[in-house]
Amino acid sequence: MKISQIQVLPILYSIIGRQNHALKHIQFPYRWSPDIEEDSGYFERFLQQYNESEHLQNILCRNCNIDCNNSLSLFRDDKKDRVGIQKYTCYDCLNHYCYNCKDDRDDGFFYLSFCELCDKWRCRDCQVVQPCSSCIDVFDVELNDSDLRNDVGFICTDCTDDSYKCKFCGDAFCPECQDRIVWCTVCENQGCDPCMDVVYCEHEDCEESQCYSCLDSQRDED
């Protein structure tokens, strides 16, 4: 069933029109992005009004208790692939955090990270968010460095399924680096290229591949 803007937005308009409304988080379908679905401007106008209503609220960071409502706007023009995603609000607990707030644990990591697969901000108290191992290698990133943090893709626990994770070392890879994962069509194991070597079929248009363990087993049988 397709959710229509015409059905949903009037209800949301009635909520955000109230002073001190209790609405804390909105995340719209990706297809509502103006780049994906043709829009008369109705959706864009709502995003603008919602941002304005949020800026009138007294929204405090759960960690440092500073008013951080200027960081909570729904994306509009700065990142087209994230239009309609509310920034710096944990999708699970709905707590707000400043983007650069770190906790007092030994690693000093940031409270919030953005999952590149489900497009949700998750705080580390609700979800373990794993950095992409390939991004860390390429950019030589320290994960507690504010300036380098944007170079790394993160994947939350809900999304670290077999498609994005090495079976052997447990490293996770973001969509941009998924080509680091290789697959054996014989034993159906998959892993990152340092952990698992495969050879590919030489026939054109054939996508079959085999790991060396399966090749060795076949040689022993022969």
Side-chain angles (χ1 to χ4, degrees), residues 8-23:
V8 174
L9 293 184
I11 300 172
L12 294 176
Y13 265 119
S14 68
I15 295 173
I16 66 174
R18 304 169 192 165
Q19 190 174 9
N20 296 321
H21 64 78
L23 184 61

